[in-house]
Amino acid sequence: SSGINAEYGDGPEPCALLCAGTTGIGTTKWINYREHIIVDVDMSDCGFVSTPIISTALTGEGWTRSVTGISGLYDLTNKRFRVVPTRTYGFDLYKRAREMKWRIDWQAVGHVC
């Protein structure tokens, strides 16, 4: 994933970091799993030393409102997390994610020292 860093802090060596990124427009590696899709997000480039606070959004060319589970994150570490979206209507979620070029945009705030 690509990311942008914006450091902030009060001391001579700021330890807090805001890091943001995306899984990529049309390049997100969705995993098809039953009625869900899964994507693992790599944020190892951020350099967090502990698990940060993370917010996510599902974006793309359409149908994103028909999906739930975007803010329920799994397997959080200082380097990665997993998102498991679920459909609310009876359609092929994996196919729709690829057709609509869905991606996960994310922001994480944590410590780097």
Side-chain angles (χ1 to χ4, degrees):
S1 66
S2 58
I4 299 170
N5 296 339
E7 292 185 271
Y8 64 93
D10 295 329
E13 182 181 356
C15 286
L17 176 78
L18 168 64
C19 189
T22 182
T23 57
I25 301 170
T27 60
T28 299
K29 293 177 174 71
W30 296 105
I31 300 165
N32 194 9
Y33 180 72
R34 298 183 186 166
E35 293 159 11
H36 311 285
I37 52 177
I38 298 170
V39 65
D40 292 314
V41 179
D42 178 7
M43 57 179 182
S44 58
D45 288 344
C46 298
F48 294 121
V49 295
S50 59
T51 303
I53 299 168
I54 303 166
S55 63
T56 57
L58 176 68
T59 56
E61 295 180 357
W63 285 83
T64 56
R65 289 181 286 171
S66 61
V67 178
T68 61
I70 302 307
S71 61
L73 308 179
Y74 299 88
D75 303 328
L76 282 78
T77 72
N78 62 321
K79 297 180 187 285
R80 68 188 63 80
F81 63 93
R82 173 173 277 189
V83 183
V84 185
T86 304
R87 67 180 184 224
T88 55
Y89 302 105
F91 58 85
D92 185 334
L93 192 59
Y94 181 67
K95 180 179 175 184
R96 185 66 43 88
R98 290 178 295 138
E99 288 175 350
M100 295 289 115
K101 298 178 182 172
W102 288 350
R103 68 184 185 269
I104 299 294
D105 294 335
W106 57 271
Q107 295 181 339
V109 176
H111 292 101
V112 293
C113 55

